[in-house]
């Protein structure tokens, strides 16, 4: 029997499983599919807007935590986020750089400037300074990236620190594989893993670059080979940075695969492709979670459970046609339902209250009911299932996931010790 | 179309699940076939997208390149039955012009019956270049594709003729399902499974049994496959209707647990009965361990061994029980391959037009296996073992071999 069962393999579940297992605890990770990391930019947002652009995420989240007691950061705390960010960097030393005290400001695939906290080394040169000269390079057969859109928007943007830059689009046509006219970013990433392809690509691009230009490329510079981007930069003789694309997100896949690999290496038993469908609770204590495997159902018992099943987007929360919101596995009490109509009609207006609905947690990440009492003594929550914030508007979802996962894991370790 | 299976495929379907698709591309990123060839447009396109327009034939004929490995369904977080949709649509697409080869390679029992009595000759024939070239030309089975190793004795023959087990059972009875491969080709795996179960104190009953029809199903022959699987259910139920059924044939177990129902729409109660009572042998051993009932007096095996979990085992949604069980053996280091698929996908990689794709799919695995241990690899299903062994040159066995050895039985 594993001592802890973690439900969900998004950022929150993977971090919690890693932390528990590396402390020597037996962990089973149950998931009905791959989590949300592959849909992300492959960076770690801690706090981007509050509502103004944030430059020091930890500092600003401390202010939010004291002003908004229902915000997840009030429960996790600046210290929890700090611990989480440091832990994640330590887990993925060759994939994430940065620190919780400063945001990078990076170009997006539409040429806006996005604040984010930890970034991949291949993106660092995208933190642009006043006077920068940028060549935004597109691949003709990669339809998800439009260099002119990016370059023109960047050129008319004032950088967050007031600076300006010049940017121009460049297009090259180097097929990822023969006879394919419409290749996905992932197909290109696999091609960039091959040094021979990188050499061909560099040879085609180098003559088109001007003196002193920094090269922005779609984030497809290798999936497995962590040195693909720096090797390309060397071959070009120019600094290079990656700009994340819509899914499939290659930087997100890198994070997902690395976290899954480290979890397995730490001894986590991963059971994929199985939805948790019911729970067994005795005297308030969660005893087991049953998953719908092929053939007969199967119960996983444990001392403690971490619910890291995400939110609406992953089916952990559901809204029916009567406007009733439920947490679909445990039927947990939800916060944020009394904020008036859950959906208002003003599309461009304030955040829809619906998206802040979720469970409320104590400082140790145990789930609370409406009266602030612990629902099950051995049930912890992490990530998107925790309500109280509009994560994509604040750009806080990753920080909440990592912080809550680490705090939940540490609380469990303390109890089990 | 009057066939029941195809009717299900044409109309009923796991089709409702396609509406759950949010176009997240997660399935795309894991498909082993579209990763290596531009000829296949990938699970999201041929699956939920093309299915929406399908009225009879699929609108995307690249569907034929789907190997039905099931990876897409496994990783989809929204519950879309992508691989099942593909298998159904392909069966409809091929219904009017089923290649002779695809009809023949579904006949696993026949192959076993023909080859066993003449094993040395069969072996020689399968290793003979001109014969294989002829096979490739006539039935379009690639000349280098892995073939089952003919054996001089069937499992049934061994089971009947061996001396009675000396130990009296202490734990009750189990039914053993060996599958055609386990009956005719991978006889050693079946023997070792039975010996481990008997060592644990079980009485092992082996009813006379036929084929589960998996190879017919994956080649789109739903009528034959349905008849086979239902006949097999009768065979297995003849040994008792409340005993646990154990199998060391990972893919056939999957056919009984879910594929016959989910892909062909077989709703017969006897399938449900067998499908809920059957356990993969490593799954069963892990269950015993978790219940505190597995003796762990294993002798150390000082070895590092690569383990590959086959797609059809992974798609049963139980994780990788073999890894957990093998962890109990002292000094043994098991390295999980991390590979999505070995390429063979049942009979896919045998086919002349698919052979190169299947080899490309399996290449990272073959490299990993050779690097990890040039003498031994582990994998739970037969055709995958043949593929790994043939393409990497590394002997590949069922994980039960090491359990058998660690119990001092070999
Ligand atoms: C459109 C959108 C844009 C966003 N943009 C941003 C952004 O820019 N910045 C930011 O910081 N955050 C953003 N977020 C929020 C961010 O995505 C989430 O906060 C974060 O991904 C949550 O991670 P998680 O691990 O909690 O959940 P997920 O990544 O959703 O993982 C949930 C896991 O649980 C599994 N699961 C669910 N139910 C079950 C069950 N019953 N049984 C078994 N397994 C189950 C799923 O398969 C999955 O593996 C955005 C969210 C959305 C929807
Ligand atoms: S993984 Fe599932 S939801 Fe995502 S694109 Fe594929 S079928 Fe659709
Ligand atoms: S079943 Fe396998 S080969 Fe077919 S689409 Fe899905 S992942 Fe690809």
């Amino acid at each position: 029997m594993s001592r802890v069962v973690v439900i969900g393999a998004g950022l929150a579940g993977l971090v919690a499983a890693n932390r528990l297992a590396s402390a020597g605890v037996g962990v089973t990770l149950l998931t009905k599919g791959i989590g949300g990391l592959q849909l992300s930019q492959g960076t770690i947002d801690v706090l981007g807007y509050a509502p103004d652009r944030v430059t020091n995420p930890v500092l600003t989240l401390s202010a939010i935590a004291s002003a908004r007691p229902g915000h997840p950061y009030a429960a996790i705390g600046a210290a929890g986020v700090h611990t989480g960010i440091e832990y994640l960097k330590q887990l993925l030393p060759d994939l994430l750089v940065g620190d919780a005290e400063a945001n990078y400001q990076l170009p997006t695939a539409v040429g806006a400037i996005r604040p984010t906290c930890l970034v991949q080394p291949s993106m660092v040169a995208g933190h642009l300074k006043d006077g920068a000269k940028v060549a935004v390079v597109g691949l003709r057969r990669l339809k998800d990236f439009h260099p002119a859109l990016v370059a023109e928007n960047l050129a008319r943007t004032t950088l967050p620190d007031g600076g300006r830059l010049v940017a121009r689009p460049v297009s090259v046509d180097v097929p990822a594989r023969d006879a394919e006219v419409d290749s996905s970013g992932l197909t290109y990433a696999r091609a960039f893993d091959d040094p021979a392809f990188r050499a061909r690509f560099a040879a085609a691009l180098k003559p088109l670059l001007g003196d002193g230009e920094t090269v922005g490329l779609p984030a497809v510079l290798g999936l497995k080979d962590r040195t693909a981007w720096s090797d390309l930069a060397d071959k070009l003789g120019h600094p290079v940075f990656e700009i994340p694309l819509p899914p499939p997100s290659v930087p997100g896949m890198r994070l997902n695969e690395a976290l899954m690999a480290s979890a397995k290496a730490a001894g986590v038993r991963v059971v994929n492709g199985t939805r948790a469908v019911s729970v067994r609770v005795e005297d308030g204590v969660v005893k087991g979670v049953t998953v719908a495997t092929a053939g007969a159902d199967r119960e996983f018992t444990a001392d403690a459970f971490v619910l890291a099943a995400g939110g609406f987007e992953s089916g952990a929360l559901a809204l029916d046609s009567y406007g009733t919101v439920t947490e679909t596995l445990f039927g947990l009490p939800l916060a944020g339902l009394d904020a008036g109509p859950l959906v208002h009609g003003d599309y461009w207006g304030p955040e829809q209250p619906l998206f802040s609905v979720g469970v409320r947690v104590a400082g140790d990440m145990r789930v609370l009911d409406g009266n602030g009492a612990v629902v099950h003594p051995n049930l912890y929550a992490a990530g998107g299932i925790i309500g109280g914030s509009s994560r994509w508007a604040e750009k806080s979802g990753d920080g909440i996931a990592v912080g809550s996962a680490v705090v939940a894991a540490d609380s469990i370790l303390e109890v089990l010790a | 179309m009057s066939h029941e299976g195809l009717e299900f495929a044409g109309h009923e379907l796991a089709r409702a699940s396609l509406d759950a698709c949010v176009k997240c591309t997660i399935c795309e990123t894991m498909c082993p076939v579209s990763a290596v060839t531009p000829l296949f447009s990938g699970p999201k396109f041929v699956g939920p997208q093309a299915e929406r327009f399908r009225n009879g034939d699929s609108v995307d004929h690249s569907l034929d390149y789907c190997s039905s490995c099931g990876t897409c369904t496994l990783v989809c977080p929204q519950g879309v039955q992508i691989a099942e949709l593909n298998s159904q649509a392909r069966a409809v697409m091929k219904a009017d012009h089923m290649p002779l080869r695809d009809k023949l390679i579904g006949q696993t029992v026949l192959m076993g019956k023909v080859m066993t009595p003449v094993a040395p000759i069969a072996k020689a024939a399968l290793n003979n270049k001109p014969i294989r070239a002829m096979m490739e030309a006539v039935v379009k089975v690639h000349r280098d594709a892995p073939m089952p190793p003919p054996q001089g004795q069937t499992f049934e023959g061994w089971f009947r003729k061996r001396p009675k087990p000396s130990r009296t059972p202490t734990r009750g009875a189990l039914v053993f399902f060996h599958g055609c491969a386990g009956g005719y080709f991978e006889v050693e795996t079946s023997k070792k499974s039975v010996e481990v179960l008997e060592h644990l104190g079980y009485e092992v009953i082996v009813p006379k049994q036929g084929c589960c029809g998996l190879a017919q199903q994956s080649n789109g022959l739903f009528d034959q496959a349905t008849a086979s699987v239902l006949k097999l259910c009768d065979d297995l139920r003849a040994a008792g209707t409340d005993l646990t059924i154990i199998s060391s044939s990972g893919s056939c177990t999957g056919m009984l647990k879910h594929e016959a129902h989910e892909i062909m729409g077989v709703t017969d109660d006897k399938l449900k009965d067998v499908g809920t009572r059957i356990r993969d042998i490593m799954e069963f051993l892990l269950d015993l361990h978790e219940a505190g009932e597995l003796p762990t007096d294993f002798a150390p095996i000082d070895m590092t061994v690569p383990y590959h979990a086959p797609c059809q085992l992974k798609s049963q949604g139980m994780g990788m029980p073999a890894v957990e069980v093998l962890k109990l053996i002292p000094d043994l280091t098991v390295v999980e391959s991390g590979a999505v698929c070995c390429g063979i996908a049942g009979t896919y990689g045998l086919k002349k037009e698919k052979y190169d794709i299947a080899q490309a799919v399996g290449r990272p695995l073959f490299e990993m296996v050779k690097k990890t241990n040039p003498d031994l690899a582990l994998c739970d299903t037969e055709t995958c073992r043949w593929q790994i062994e043939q393409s990497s040159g590394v002997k590949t066995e069922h994980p039960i071999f090491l359990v058998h050895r660690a119990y001092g039985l070999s």
Side-chain angles (χ1 to χ4, degrees), chain B residues 358-391:
Chain B
Q359 288 296 311
V361 166
R363 201 156 293 134
L365 171 62
F366 310 146
E367 294 308 316
M368 179 275 173
V369 160
K370 279 190 276 193
K371 225 173 61 200
T372 312
N373 183 342
D375 300 320
L376 182 66
L378 302 175
C379 176
D380 314 69
T381 56
E382 299 85 357
T383 51
C384 306
R385 287 199 289 275
W386 303 336
Q387 167 88 340
I388 297 170
E389 189 161 316
Q390 167 106 352
S391 301

Side-chain angles (χ1 to χ4, degrees), chain A residues 42-86:
Chain A
T43 61
I44 302 299
D45 295 345
V46 172
L47 192 62
Y49 297 97
D52 295 330
R53 185 181 294 266
V54 171
T55 46
N56 182 333
V58 164
L59 196 69
T60 317
L61 80 81
S62 303
I64 290 190
S66 33
R68 291 170 56 188
H71 193 284
Y73 278 148
I76 300 164
V81 175
H82 226 284
T83 314
I85 292 298
E86 288 309 310

Side-chain angles (χ1 to χ4, degrees), chain A residues 86-148:
Chain A
E86 288 309 310
Y87 179 62
L88 192 59
K89 272 163 54 183
Q90 176 204 322
L91 268 180
L92 308 174
D94 60 345
L95 265 182
L96 289 174
V97 295
D99 71 83
E101 248 90 65
N103 270 338
Y104 287 91
Q105 309 287 342
L106 299 181
T108 69
V110 293
I113 303 280
R114 177 177 70 92
T116 185
C117 183
L118 298 186
V119 306
Q120 303 196 2
S122 53
M123 300 170 181
V124 171
H127 185 73
L128 298 163
K129 304 276 162 37
D130 184 42
K133 290 200 285 182
V134 184
V136 181
V137 178
L139 291 146
R140 283 199 200 283
R141 297 174 196 227
L142 177 63
K143 307 287 164 66
D144 284 343
F145 188 78
H146 306 278

Side-chain angles (χ1 to χ4, degrees), chain A residues 32 34 177 274 293 298 313, chain B residues 29 34 75 77-78 283 287 317:
Chain A
K32 67 185 163 113
I34 289 178
R177 16 185 214 197
T274 48
T293 47
R298 175 170 287 278
E313 61 276 19
Chain B
T29 64
S34 62
V75 299
Q78 306 296 343
E283 174 191 18
D287 282 351

Side-chain angles (χ1 to χ4, degrees), chain B residues 249-309:
Chain B
S249 188
S251 45
C252 310
T253 312
M255 176 75 170
L256 287 163
K257 277 185 177 176
H258 65 141
E259 291 188 357
H261 173 64
E262 285 171 358
I263 295 175
M264 305 193 299
V266 180
T267 51
D268 200 302
D269 279 345
K270 54 192 181 197
L271 174 67
K272 191 170 172 193
D273 171 44
V274 170
T276 49
R277 280 195 287 130
I278 192 163
R279 299 286 179 276
D280 173 79
I281 184 148
M282 302 310 281
E283 174 191 18
F284 179 71
L285 295 182
L286 182 57
D287 282 351
L288 284 182
H289 178 60
E290 299 206 323
E293 292 168 15
L294 186 77
T296 50
D297 54 340
F298 292 118
I301 300 180
D302 188 3
M303 189 200 298
T304 296
V305 67
Y307 165 75
H308 176 66

